Amino acid sequence: QSVLTQPPSASGTPGQRVTISCSGSSSNIGSYNVHWYQHLPGTAPKLLIYTNDQRPSGVPDRFSGSKSGTSASLAISGLQSEDEADYYCAAWDDRLIGWVFGGGTKLTVL
Amino acid sequence: EVQLVESGGGLVQPGGSLRLSCVASGFTFSNDWMSWVRQAPGKGLEWVANIKQDGSEKNYVGSVKGRFTISRDNAKNSLYLQMNNLRAEDTAVYYCSSGSYCDYWGQGTLVTVSS
């Protein structure tokens, strides 16, 4: 079981808005920044959102992140077929003294 | 362009050892934290270890403490993971990642622990 909790799956139709949640505790999300990654099987994971709500250059503004208390969320608007991938949240945990990832959410574009 | 290229994976028997390497290019290697992250078959991402820019600080996930050692050679732009006493549950694709938030990732190298 992962320290950060994500729903195992999410889905939407092209053009829709989808949100993926990430729940943690005071030792991780409650005290540290959250980062999000997109991973297509067989490829290198890609940083999608860093420091809760910042987009690296090249990431479309359809992707946005937010954090409140011990939870965070990733929103994808204007869903596209190429967004079909696995999405992971991550944060530093000062009780475990290491990074912790969510279990991942498989996004399906119907 | 940032590039991270892992190597050293393969098939090893339980109790055996492997040394993974990651060669970096396209950025100032000595300025960045570096990490190893793995993904077991059918599972999610799991952070394994990270190392500070000068190697003075290292952190490990509990399941590998005492068995794995992370190191780096800034002169060679290289990151390493020495894995000893390997177990079946260490079977995974191992990714090298750079930056404070794992900004960039390599393509990974597969480690299979099986008799």
Side-chain angles (χ1 to χ4, degrees), chain B residues 9-96:
Chain B
L11 175 63
V12 62
Q13 291 189 338
S17 298
L18 273 181
R19 189 195 196 207
L20 305 184
S21 299
C22 170
V23 177
S25 61
F27 66 104
T28 306
F29 180 79
S30 58
N31 284 355
D32 273 355
W33 279 83
M34 295 295 296
S35 302
W36 288 99
V37 179
R38 67 185 177 184
Q39 184 176 35
K43 304 292 185 182
L45 299 175
E46 180 186 37
W47 172 82
V48 174
N50 66 357
I51 184 169
K52 198 175 178 179
Q53 290 89 331
D54 61 359
S56 62
E57 185 177 340
K58 304 174 185 181
N59 301 293
Y60 300 90
V61 68
S63 60
V64 310
K65 282 180 183 175
R67 301 188 299 123
F68 290 11
T69 302
I70 190 171
S71 62
R72 64 191 297 162
D73 185 337
N74 288 342
K76 295 182 178 179
N77 286 352
S78 293
L79 175 73
Y80 306 101
L81 186 67
Q82 177 66 44
M83 304 186 296
N84 297 331
N85 192 18
L86 282 160
R87 305 167 180 168
E89 54 264 35
D90 295 318
T91 294
V93 174
Y94 284 72
Y95 296 99
C96 162

Side-chain angles (χ1 to χ4, degrees), chain A residues 23-72:
Chain A
S23 177
S25 67
S26 59
S27 64
N28 42 67
I29 294 178
S31 302
Y32 297 94
N33 294 317
V34 178
H35 316 293
W36 290 89
Y37 304 87
Q38 180 189 59
H39 188 206
L40 285 79
T43 69
K46 173 186 173 183
L47 178 66
L48 205 58
I49 297 287
Y50 67 97
T51 316
N52 307 320
D53 57 7
Q54 301 298 301
R55 279 187 310 277
S57 60
V59 174
D61 59 7
R62 302 186 295 105
F63 294 89
S64 62
S66 64
K67 172 188 148 179
S68 179
T70 58
S71 294

